[in-house]
Amino acid sequence: MNFLIRPVVKEDAEFINEIRRQDGVRENTMGIVSERISRSQRIIDNLTENDHMIVAEILEDGVKKVIGVASLSVNKSNRVRHSGSMGISIGKDYQGNGIGTALMKELLDIADNWLMLVRIELGVFVDNEKAISLYKSLGFVIEGKRKYAIIRNGIYEDEYIMARYNYKLIK
């Protein structure tokens, strides 16, 4: 599948909102069906120099369409400035095509080679085997489990905390 990875722009808010609300995506993210486009617009509008958001875009029937989004946020406090957190969402119809891997690799390159981050962390539902496999393939390890961390379909679910370390930068 051919896709372009690029920085997010304001016009992507509607696509991002659509992805986050989709069945097959929402269940494994913090999305909710009633989420408004204005939320995605606010997120984009409030990005700072510590926030890096990219999208995967395809050309479908002559129209550009965002099919995935990923973000990296560098911790702002001086004592944890060496670390950041990541999140990713891929449209249901486009999962399994290497888009998540490509987005993650792009952000990890920024983290490792341009921001010099030592630690990147993320959270993932303990039963999201595809995501866990992707993260492990990129060097993430499970550090622990948060019990009853997130509500999904009316049930409190557990979440793994995973992290990746840039060993080139530490002793």
Side-chain angles (χ1 to χ4, degrees), residues 14-29 31-35 65-68 89-95:
E14 188 171 344
F15 291 115
I16 293 169
N17 175 262
E18 181 183 329
I19 291 168
R20 288 179 52 82
R21 292 183 303 106
Q22 284 179 353
D23 290 342
V25 176
R26 178 184 66 255
E27 297 85 358
N28 289 311
T29 67
I32 190 166
V33 293
S34 62
E35 196 169 290
K65 179 179 181 179
V66 171
I67 57 171
S89 294
I90 307 299
K92 175 65 175 161
D93 295 338
Y94 303 95
Q95 296 172 6

Side-chain angles (χ1 to χ4, degrees), residues 118 165-171:
V118 172
Y165 320 108
N166 186 345
Y167 289 108
K168 295 183 296 185
L169 298 176
I170 51 180
K171 298 181 195 178

Side-chain angles (χ1 to χ4, degrees), residues 64-108:
K64 293 179 180 181
K65 179 179 181 179
V66 171
I67 57 171
V69 59
S71 63
L72 167 67
S73 294
V74 179
N75 291 321
K76 294 164 184 71
S77 178
N78 290 335
R79 293 181 60 192
V80 290
R81 168 64 182 82
H82 64 284
S83 63
S85 59
M86 293 181 82
I88 186 169
S89 294
I90 307 299
K92 175 65 175 161
D93 295 338
Y94 303 95
Q95 296 172 6
N97 289 298
I99 297 160
T101 301
L103 287 168
M104 295 285 290
K105 284 182 175 180
E106 187 74 22
L107 287 178
L108 290 171

Side-chain angles (χ1 to χ4, degrees), residues 6-147:
R6 62 166 175 77
V8 71
V9 295
K10 285 183 180 191
E11 293 77 19
D12 297 331
E14 188 171 344
F15 291 115
I16 293 169
N17 175 262
E18 181 183 329
I19 291 168
R20 288 179 52 82
R21 292 183 303 106
Q22 284 179 353
D23 290 342
V25 176
R26 178 184 66 255
E27 297 85 358
N28 289 311
T29 67
M30 298 297 282
I32 190 166
V33 293
S34 62
E35 196 169 290
R36 293 179 194 71
I37 294 170
S38 60
R39 181 188 183 282
S40 296
Q41 291 167 332
R42 271 193 312 279
I43 290 170
I44 294 169
D45 288 342
N46 292 320
L47 293 173
T48 71
E49 65 277 356
N50 290 315
D51 301 307
H52 307 270
M53 184 178 277
I54 58 176
V55 297
E57 177 186 86
I58 61 169
L59 194 59
E60 190 172 76
D61 299 323
V63 177
K64 293 179 180 181
K65 179 179 181 179
V66 171
I67 57 171
V69 59
S71 63
L72 167 67
S73 294
V74 179
N75 291 321
K76 294 164 184 71
S77 178
N78 290 335
R79 293 181 60 192
V80 290
R81 168 64 182 82
H82 64 284
S83 63
S85 59
M86 293 181 82
I88 186 169
S89 294
I90 307 299
K92 175 65 175 161
D93 295 338
Y94 303 95
Q95 296 172 6
N97 289 298
I99 297 160
T101 301
L103 287 168
M104 295 285 290
K105 284 182 175 180
E106 187 74 22
L107 287 178
L108 290 171
D109 177 66
I110 293 169
D112 291 346
N113 299 310
W114 301 99
L115 302 177
M116 305 295 285
L117 298 183
V118 172
R119 174 188 171 82
I120 305 294
E121 59 188 36
L122 53 81
V124 60
F125 283 101
V126 298
D127 63 354
N128 191 345
E129 294 175 14
K130 287 182 182 179
I132 293 166
S133 178
L134 167 63
Y135 303 147
K136 285 182 175 180
S137 77
L138 296 170
F140 285 81
V141 297
I142 296 172
E143 291 187 323
K145 184 192 305 186
R146 293 177 58 217
K147 299 289 291 171

